Amino acid sequence: MDSLGATGAGAAIALENLFPPLPSEVILPLAGFTASQGGMSLGAALFMTTLGSVVGALALYGVGALFGRERLLAVAARMPLVKVADIERTEAWFARHGTKAVFFGRMIPLFRSLISVPAGVERMPLMTFTLLTTVGSAIWNTVFVLAGYRLGEDWERVTDLVGVYSKAVLGAAALAVAVFVALRLTRPGRGRRRASGP
């Protein structure tokens, strides 16, 4: 962090979007701590990490947009335990709650990366996606950068607290997957594909 400065912190956060195992919960407080020691300005840390979040999210949005709905449905039709109807229900849910999902998803571990893909598949207006991603990312990043800035040498305490939050989120996701698989095994079927829109 000392050698790469705010630009390096932003690049690390951009990569964290593409490779979720890279933990923003470590990168952001460390950037704040480095700012407290004079290694970079606090403003630069906040700006560059938020820019990195947006760049990474836009890359995944592009992946979703290139993949597209038809290809997604074709893949879903060949996947075990997945019905085309599952994808269509997800589309309907995203149509109703997509803006909230993108905004709040930026503050949930793992999902802050994944939520960009369906936004691209569903072709959420790019300006809307970028605005929601910027605001949501700015809130998340500011909390952690400021925590590292305020805690100074004790910045690692932030990662301990967030570790509990992350484990709870991942545990809930694992439970949801287990319930999905159990229901699918007891209710087999491929589901029906509705006609594509114009």
Side-chain angles (χ1 to χ4, degrees):
M1 198 66 70
D2 283 334
S3 61
L4 297 178
T7 301
I13 292 298
L15 288 173
E16 182 260 346
N17 279 264
L18 302 175
F19 305 101
L22 289 174
S24 67
E25 296 87 349
V26 173
I27 299 168
L28 294 171
L30 181 56
F33 167 68
T34 304
S36 74
Q37 301 301 301
M40 66 179 83
S41 74
L42 181 59
L46 293 171
F47 176 79
M48 292 305 297
T49 55
T50 299
L51 179 62
S53 295
V54 174
V55 168
L58 286 172
L60 289 176
Y61 177 97
V63 169
L66 288 173
F67 197 76
R69 178 180 183 271
E70 290 304 311
R71 198 173 299 170
L72 178 64
L73 289 173
V75 170
R78 293 193 295 268
M79 290 179 66
L81 302 179
V82 176
K83 297 179 182 180
V84 171
D86 295 329
I87 304 300
E88 293 175 341
R89 278 193 293 269
T90 302
E91 288 178 325
W93 180 89
F94 196 87
R96 293 193 303 271
H97 307 290
T99 54
K100 290 179 284 188
V102 169
F103 176 74
F104 291 107
R106 300 305 305 171
M107 306 173 208
I108 302 175
L110 184 63
F111 293 97
R112 64 173 162 266
S113 296
L114 298 179
I115 195 60
S116 301
V117 177
V121 170
E122 294 301 316
R123 298 298 179 97
M124 172 181 279
L126 188 58
M127 289 300 295
T128 301
F129 175 79
T130 303
L131 177 61
L132 292 169
T133 297
T134 301
V135 176
S137 298
I139 293 171
W140 175 265
N141 293 356
T142 298
V143 168
F144 285 92
V145 170
L146 288 181
Y149 187 86
R150 297 294 184 189
L151 288 172
E153 296 284 353
D154 293 327
W155 67 269
E156 291 183 19
R157 287 169 51 195
V158 180
T159 63
D160 295 334
L161 293 173
V162 178
V164 177
Y165 172 54
S166 297
K167 288 175 183 176
V169 169
L170 294 176
L175 178 61
V177 170
V179 170
F180 171 81
V181 171
L183 290 175
R184 188 57 75 245
L185 289 174
T186 57
R187 300 176 187 173
R190 304 298 298 172
R192 293 184 302 173
R193 175 174 176 167
R194 61 177 167 81
S196 299

